[in-house]
Amino acid sequence: MKETNSEPLWGERPEPFTLLQDLVMNWWVILLAGLAGLMLATVAAGVRYTPRYTARATYAVASKQGANAFSNLSAANQMAQTFSKILQSSLMTRTIQETLGDEELDAQISARVIDNTNLLELSVTGASPRQVTDVIRAVMDHYSEVAYYTVGRTVMTLLEEPEVPLAPDNPLNRGAAAKKGFAAGAGLCCAAVLALSYWCSALKRESDIEKKLDARSLGAIGYERKYKTPRELLHRSKAALLADSPLASQRFAEDYKRLAARVEYRLGRSGGKVLVITSVSENEGKSTLAANLAITLAARGKRVLLVDGDIRRPAQFLILGVDVQEKNELGEYLKGSGTPTDVILPTNRPRLFFLGGRGCYSSSTELLRSQRLPHLLEQCRQLVDFILIDTPPVGLIGDAQVFSQYADGVLLTARQNYMLAEDINEVLDDFADNRANVLGVVLNGEMSFDRLLEQLPGAGRAGYGRHERGDARG
């Protein structure tokens, strides 16, 4: 088993689309992280918050030496400078402490001249309205004692009495803290998701198949938007997008042409006809891939039988639009009723035949171990060029291993950025232990920004599907 190294290869750039995909898939984790950051920031803002209140008193300063405006303005500026030193002096501090009975003065006292006036504003800032009011009144009562010789040349007239401040100067802004907390929490979570995505061992691009898995690469099938117009999205048709559909892009059809050529070549080297198509898990697109591969091989002039081997949850009759009666059910045949001619049905596409059903059989593994299955497959080998068997995911049930005993090869479908490489390698090892011939792995639903741009409206959609379907019917 190949050891999967989660570290990206040196110099290999990340696939931007898979990074974006992981962000979108983990949107709820990012949202929860943002909400957690919001709550923590809000609580922290409340805990760290200290309100600051300011009480103010305004004086008019006049010079005793002259009554003109210039002298009064000059006196106010000189008084502001001197007064600030007086307020910061140890003598003023001790006087206020003795007056209030406090051992420590936790307040900021300042004085400033209001621009272009002879008005002096005295302000005290502290942690409580009561404290700043008491301090400013103590200053007003005792400043003349502390600065007797300094203020003797000026006249200070009180114009505005200090009032008890009702609101803090720095109101708590919980909204801003919440926004910053949400952005920080969501941002850190996004960074973590991107880091995990970058170091994850899931298959990001086709080249990862042979770098991380014990298997060859059979190519990649690009992601194709099923709903190409708002009307299609509104109606949400359940029909699968097939390679010969007029809505399929040229690149999508070409991907299946290349895959069909590789499958035909690798099976042809050993004279094989029967191919099991499976995946590790559900939702990897194996049924649609099997149907499109069968359609493409039939369009290349081969007689193809598509077998829906998932008799627990059949889907191919819906994809191909085949009307299946009870007598045509593969499950009924395996139970002992009917003949091969009853269960092999034609489709609306030339050279493409269907074997399967629409009924659900819970005991699928027991039915598949019937001796009627190898007999049926052996007869089908004589009728067609290729037999493609769509089986349930290997991780859910062992039906794929049963079919692989009678097959000439196994094709494993792996959805882009879906399963870890080590999980895929375990399935590959299991097939190897059962002596199954794994032809290779197909990366399904590969998406990149260049593919996305090609699928935008008017971005070069081609009519390959029409021509291919016309050739098949001709």
Side-chain angles (χ1 to χ4, degrees):
M1 176 177 177
K2 182 179 291 186
E3 295 184 3
T4 302
N5 186 0
S6 61
E7 296 185 3
L9 298 180
W10 179 258
E12 183 175 343
R13 65 178 180 83
E15 175 53 57
F17 186 83
T18 58
L19 297 179
L20 179 62
Q21 184 184 49
D22 286 332
L23 285 178
V24 173
M25 291 178 61
N26 291 281
W27 66 268
W28 61 276
V29 179
I30 298 172
L31 177 61
L32 290 178
L35 293 176
L38 180 150
M39 290 186 290
L40 288 175
T42 303
V43 172
V47 171
R48 297 173 56 188
Y49 174 65
T50 302
R52 305 297 291 176
Y53 296 87
T54 300
R56 295 178 176 86
T58 304
Y59 289 90
V61 180
S63 174
K64 292 181 179 180
Q65 299 176 355
N68 59 70
F70 178 78
S71 61
N72 289 341
L73 183 59
S74 177
N77 283 299
Q78 292 178 5
M79 189 61 193
Q81 297 175 8
T82 306
F83 205 58
S84 296
K85 296 179 180 179
I86 294 171
L87 296 175
Q88 303 300 327
S89 67
S90 58
L91 180 58
M92 175 62 80
T93 302
R94 286 197 304 271
T95 301
I96 296 173
Q97 288 175 340
E98 291 172 0
T99 303
L100 301 179
D102 294 334
E103 295 182 358
E104 184 177 353
L105 182 61
D106 185 18
Q108 296 177 351
I109 310 171
S110 62
R112 72 179 185 89
V113 175
I114 299 177
D115 294 341
N116 301 319
T117 69
N118 66 327
L119 301 180
L120 179 69
E121 183 183 71
L122 174 65
S123 63
V124 177
T125 302
S128 70
R130 178 67 181 221
Q131 179 195 35
V132 297
T133 304
D134 291 344
V135 171
I136 197 170
R137 291 193 180 279
V139 172
M140 293 170 62
D141 291 341
H142 297 283
Y143 79 89
S144 59
E145 300 173 6
V146 175
Y148 176 78
Y149 295 103
T150 305
V151 300
R153 293 172 295 176
T154 60
V155 177
M156 295 181 60
T157 304
L158 181 63
L159 298 181
E160 184 179 349
E161 286 278 357
E163 296 181 356
V164 178
L166 301 178
D169 302 331
N170 58 334
L172 176 60
N173 190 348
R174 294 183 182 273
K179 291 177 182 178
K180 292 179 181 178
F182 182 86
L188 289 174
C189 187
C190 285
V193 170
L194 290 174
L196 290 174
S197 175
Y198 181 62
W199 298 98
C200 176
S201 65
L203 304 182
K204 308 288 186 178
R205 51 176 65 82
E206 181 187 348
S207 59
D208 288 345
I209 295 176
E210 297 191 359
K211 293 175 183 175
K212 299 180 179 180
L213 303 181
D214 294 324
R216 293 179 178 177
S217 170
L218 288 180
I221 303 298
Y223 173 79
E224 186 83 353
R225 287 192 305 119
K226 185 176 179 180
Y227 309 112
K228 298 181 182 293
T229 65
R231 184 175 181 179
E232 293 173 5
L233 181 62
L234 182 64
H235 289 82
R236 287 186 177 273
S237 171
K238 295 184 179 180
L241 183 61
L242 300 179
D244 62 351
S245 168
L247 298 177
S249 67
Q250 181 178 4
R251 187 167 184 173
F252 184 70
E254 290 293 336
D255 288 343
Y256 276 105
K257 277 187 172 183
R258 284 191 292 270
L259 176 61
R262 290 169 182 171
V263 168
E264 184 178 352
Y265 170 74
R266 292 189 179 178
L267 279 178
R269 288 191 304 178
S270 59
K273 289 187 175 184
V274 183
L275 178 67
V276 166
I277 300 174
T278 189
S279 62
V280 176
S281 178
E282 292 184 299
N283 301 318
E284 297 199 64
K286 62 168 185 60
S287 294
T288 302
L289 184 140
N292 278 321
L293 179 58
I295 290 171
T296 307
L297 285 170
R300 291 168 62 87
K302 306 298 180 182
R303 292 172 61 84
V304 182
L305 173 64
L306 178 59
V307 180
D308 193 343
D310 190 353
I311 59 177
R312 285 176 176 252
R313 297 177 58 185
Q316 292 294 350
F317 76 98
L318 290 173
I319 296 175
L320 295 180
V322 180
D323 183 19
V324 181
Q325 305 298 323
E326 184 177 355
K327 65 178 182 179
N328 308 129
E329 292 276 354
L330 173 60
E332 296 301 317
Y333 173 82
L334 295 177
K335 284 183 177 181
S337 63
T339 64
T341 56
D342 294 327
V343 292
I344 299 177
L345 302 176
T347 68
N348 59 357
R349 293 172 173 84
R351 298 180 293 277
L352 179 60
F353 302 90
F354 172 76
L355 192 160
R358 59 186 304 162
C360 301
Y361 297 83
S362 58
S363 57
S364 61
T365 305
E366 291 76 8
L367 289 176
L368 294 175
R369 295 188 187 278
S370 165
Q371 290 302 313
R372 289 175 66 87
L373 177 62
H375 175 71
L376 175 62
L377 293 177
E378 190 60 35
Q379 286 189 295
C380 291
R381 284 177 180 268
Q382 311 303 320
L383 301 175
V384 296
D385 299 309
F386 292 103
I387 302 173
L388 306 184
I389 307 176
D390 174 24
T391 73
V394 181
L396 299 181
I397 196 170
D399 290 2
Q401 286 87 341
V402 176
F403 276 111
S404 68
Q405 298 174 13
Y406 315 113
D408 303 309
V410 175
L411 185 153
L412 195 67
T413 305
R415 180 178 167 187
Q416 183 188 32
N417 198 32
Y418 193 71
M419 297 297 297
L420 297 180
E422 47 265 34
D423 295 331
I424 302 174
N425 273 326
E426 287 184 10
V427 170
L428 293 171
D429 290 342
D430 184 59
F431 278 119
D433 293 340
N434 287 278
R435 300 183 182 278
N437 175 31
V438 178
L439 292 189
V441 177
V442 176
L443 183 65
N444 198 19
E446 184 190 38
M447 193 57 186
S448 57
F449 284 113
D450 60 332
R451 284 185 181 269
L452 183 63
L453 291 175
E454 287 183 1
Q455 295 188 38
L456 294 177
R461 183 182 302 167
Y464 163 78
R466 296 187 182 91
H467 297 306
E468 191 70 11
R469 185 168 58 180
D471 293 343
R473 290 179 177 176

